[in-house]
Amino acid sequence: MKKFILFSLLVFSVVASAQVTPIQADRPDQTETPALVPKGMFQVESGFGYQKEDAHNATWTLPAALWKYGVNENFELRLITEIEIENKETENNYGLKPILIGCKIKMCEEDGVIPKTSFIGHMSIPNAASSKYKNDFYAPEFRFTMQHTLSDKFSLGYNLGSEWDGFTAAPTFIYTLTTGYAISEKLGSYVELFGFGPQKDKANHNFDGGITYLINHNFMLDLSSGVGLTANAPDYYIAFGFSYRM
C-alpha cells in the first residue's frame, strides 16, 4: 500500500510539473508580457542595472524587484520595490523609491488578428520610500500589454499606457514595441523600441535588446542593454537579472 501511495505521488508530481508552462517574465525588456503567473504560484523578477543619463549624471539600481502572485487564471497581484543610487553633478542620493502595489488582469486570449491582451495597473505609496524619494501624492500608472504569435520562433509585443510622477497632475505617456526570437528552447532574444512622452515636454525615444536563458521551467536569467535615440534620452544602460517562480 505504501509503495502504491509513493508511486501515485510520483506520477502526480511529474504530471503537474509537465502541465506548468515555462516561466514568462516582464523583464528584461520594457514591454510587459500579457501572461499571468499561474494560480497559486509566487514569482519574483529582480535585477541590477546601470544607466548613464549624460556626462555628469548616472543611476545604479541595486536592485529592482517585481513580486507577483497568481490569484487565479485571470488576476495577478503585484508589488514593486527598487533601491537606487543616483550620482549627480551636485549631489548623490541613495535609498528606496516609492513602493508600487497593483495587479495584472487578463482581458482576452489571442484570436487571429486580436492579440493576447492584459491590463496592468499600479499605485505608488508616497511615504513608503526613503526621505529623498518620497512623493507628494499617490501616483498611478497603467498600461495595456498586447502580444501576437507570428511563428514558432517569432513574437510581437507592444504596450500603451501612462504614468504620473507623484508631484504634478501631468501624465507621461508610454509606448513600447518589441520583437522576440527563440534561438533555442532555452535561449531567447529580443530587440525593442520604447519611449516616454511627458505632457509638457518633448518625448524621448530609446532602443534596446537582450537575451534570456531558461535554466529550468521556473528559473530564468537575463542580460540587456540599450541606448537613447533622442538628445533628451539617457545615453545608455546595461542590466542583468533573474526571474524565479515557486
Side-chain angles (χ1 to χ4, degrees):
M1 185 65 179
K2 290 182 179 180
K3 291 182 178 180
F4 175 77
I5 293 174
L6 289 173
F7 177 75
S8 299
L9 290 173
L10 177 62
V11 171
F12 176 79
S13 64
V14 170
V15 172
S17 176
Q19 289 176 341
V20 176
T21 58
I23 186 172
Q24 297 186 62
D26 289 309
R27 60 171 301 117
D29 57 2
Q30 305 299 313
T31 302
E32 309 269 11
T33 174
L36 278 69
V37 176
K39 178 183 177 181
M41 299 195 78
F42 174 78
Q43 184 168 313
V44 58
E45 303 170 14
S46 185
F48 301 82
Y50 173 78
Q51 181 166 287
K52 186 69 172 176
E53 309 290 347
D54 53 39
H56 306 289
N57 302 285
T59 302
W60 295 84
T61 303
L62 303 168
L66 168 59
W67 312 81
K68 308 196 293 190
Y69 178 75
V71 177
N72 56 47
E73 63 179 15
N74 298 312
F75 191 81
E76 169 189 288
L77 289 174
R78 299 161 66 91
L79 176 73
I80 299 175
T81 58
E82 184 175 344
I83 297 174
E84 188 173 270
I85 300 174
E86 289 182 303
N87 298 132
K88 296 185 176 182
E89 187 175 10
T90 56
E91 64 174 337
N92 294 328
N93 293 322
Y94 168 78
L96 176 68
K97 298 189 72 177
I99 292 174
L100 291 99
I101 57 173
C103 65
K104 182 188 291 185
I105 303 170
K106 184 173 78 172
M107 298 182 66
C108 65
E109 292 289 352
E110 187 174 0
D111 184 12
V113 297
I114 299 174
K116 182 174 184 177
T117 305
S118 292
F119 171 83
I120 298 175
H122 294 114
M123 180 74 72
S124 72
I125 306 171
N127 293 320
S130 300
S131 58
K132 286 280 188 179
Y133 292 100
K134 289 182 178 180
N135 294 338
D136 293 336
F137 311 105
Y138 286 91
E141 61 179 48
F142 73 90
R143 63 176 67 189
F144 293 91
T145 174
M146 292 148 281
Q147 181 177 297
H148 294 275
T149 302
L150 303 180
S151 70
D152 291 341
K153 290 185 175 291
F154 277 101
S155 64
L156 175 69
Y158 46 99
N159 290 179
L160 293 171
S162 189
E163 63 184 19
W164 284 259
D165 62 9
F167 296 101
T168 71
T172 295
F173 303 102
I174 308 165
Y175 81 88
T176 72
L177 177 65
T178 185
T179 56
Y181 176 71
I183 300 171
S184 68
E185 288 187 0
K186 291 184 174 293
L187 189 63
S189 64
Y190 77 91
V191 292
E192 179 182 47
L193 181 69
F194 67 95
F196 304 90
Q199 187 180 44
K200 298 182 179 180
D201 202 353
K202 292 182 179 179
N204 71 73
H205 306 282
N206 308 263
F207 176 82
D208 70 337
I211 57 173
T212 60
Y213 185 74
L214 195 66
I215 302 295
N216 57 47
H217 271 25
N218 294 314
F219 187 36
M220 184 172 68
L221 303 176
D222 64 70
L223 177 66
S224 61
S225 183
V227 296
L229 298 179
T230 53
N232 59 342
D235 288 348
Y236 65 87
Y237 83 87
I238 185 168
F240 68 93
F242 69 90
S243 300
Y244 179 69
R245 183 177 66 182
M246 66 188 79

